[in-house]
Amino acid sequence: MGPATAGGDRASSPACGGGLGRGLAVAAAAALLFAGCATVPEDLQPVPEIQPEVAEVREDPDSFAGATVVWGGSIVRIDNLAEGTRLEIVSRPLGRDQRPLQVDRSDGRFHAFFPGFLDPQVHTPMREVTVRGQVGGVNEDSIGEFPYTFPRVEVESLHLWPVPEPEPRVIYHDPFWDPWGPWGPSWGHPWHRSRW
């Protein structure tokens, strides 16, 4: 009987080749699963499975009074009042993590009333925010001189998102362009006169 080759035994062993292949497949599947999941901040949980949109509440506020909503968008204005703080927010669609998406789409503005003080130096215009609370009717106000009906949310919790890091600026150079030419910076131009 000839000696068995180590490579041949390992290739046919289910404990090595087959098990390793299955392990890699399971690890890859788990990585894809976790990559597809997004973590919702604890202060916004639980997110209601069914909730009205901002435009729906504006059209029929009585039908949705008291409904729990998780809405978000960009802060436009902040007013500190005696009874709390009112935020005017341009609504945006939310991602899986309930953060407002960077899209040019909105179904309107709404007021979020927080029963406490919010620092206007922190909650500044254009900051992204998501609130969780109950629909509390509408406020008749205006945007400039245009009359506007703002759905109102009585805020239970508010999540102010960190300012996103600016994307690195990429500068492309022509690989065939040389600002110094073939003579380089120390040799000067061909018409440079020598001082000798």
Side-chain angles (χ1 to χ4, degrees):
M1 180 183 296
T5 58
D9 285 350
R10 288 181 184 169
S12 61
S13 171
C16 294
L20 181 60
R22 284 193 296 273
L24 289 175
V26 171
L32 289 173
L33 178 65
F34 285 116
C37 295
T39 303
V40 177
E42 203 172 306
D43 50 0
L44 299 177
Q45 299 181 22
V47 178
E49 293 184 8
I50 300 176
Q51 62 176 337
E53 301 292 336
V54 173
E56 293 178 310
V57 174
R58 184 187 305 108
E59 293 174 4
D60 191 3
D62 293 337
S63 296
F64 301 106
T68 298
V69 295
V70 174
W71 289 348
S74 303
I75 298 173
V76 176
R77 178 178 171 181
I78 178 171
D79 295 305
N80 290 112
L81 310 172
E83 63 274 18
T85 303
R86 183 180 63 200
L87 297 173
E88 181 179 325
I89 300 170
V90 175
S91 69
R92 302 275 187 222
L94 304 181
R96 290 184 179 181
D97 58 355
Q98 303 306 302
R99 181 170 188 157
L101 299 175
Q102 295 291 325
V103 294
D104 292 328
R105 190 169 79 250
S106 173
D107 61 349
R109 300 188 182 192
F110 66 94
H111 282 163
F113 182 80
F114 182 80
F117 175 77
L118 296 176
D119 196 324
Q121 295 299 315
V122 177
H123 298 77
T124 55
M126 302 308 296
R127 285 294 300 270
E128 295 175 341
V129 65
T130 304
V131 300
R132 185 182 191 280
Q134 283 73 45
V135 174
V138 294
N139 293 336
E140 298 297 336
D141 206 329
S142 64
I143 300 175
E145 297 183 1
F146 186 82
Y148 196 85
T149 301
F150 292 85
R152 174 182 169 117
V153 178
E154 306 295 338
V155 176
E156 287 181 352
S157 58
L158 179 148
H159 191 87
L160 186 67
W161 297 93
V163 177
E165 293 290 332
E167 293 186 6
R169 186 179 177 187
V170 179
I171 301 176
Y172 296 96
H173 294 284
D174 185 345
F176 301 104
W177 181 78
D178 184 356
W180 300 105
W183 303 278
S186 61
W187 297 97
H189 295 287
W191 54 84
H192 177 71
R193 299 182 62 181
S194 172
R195 296 184 179 179
W196 294 353

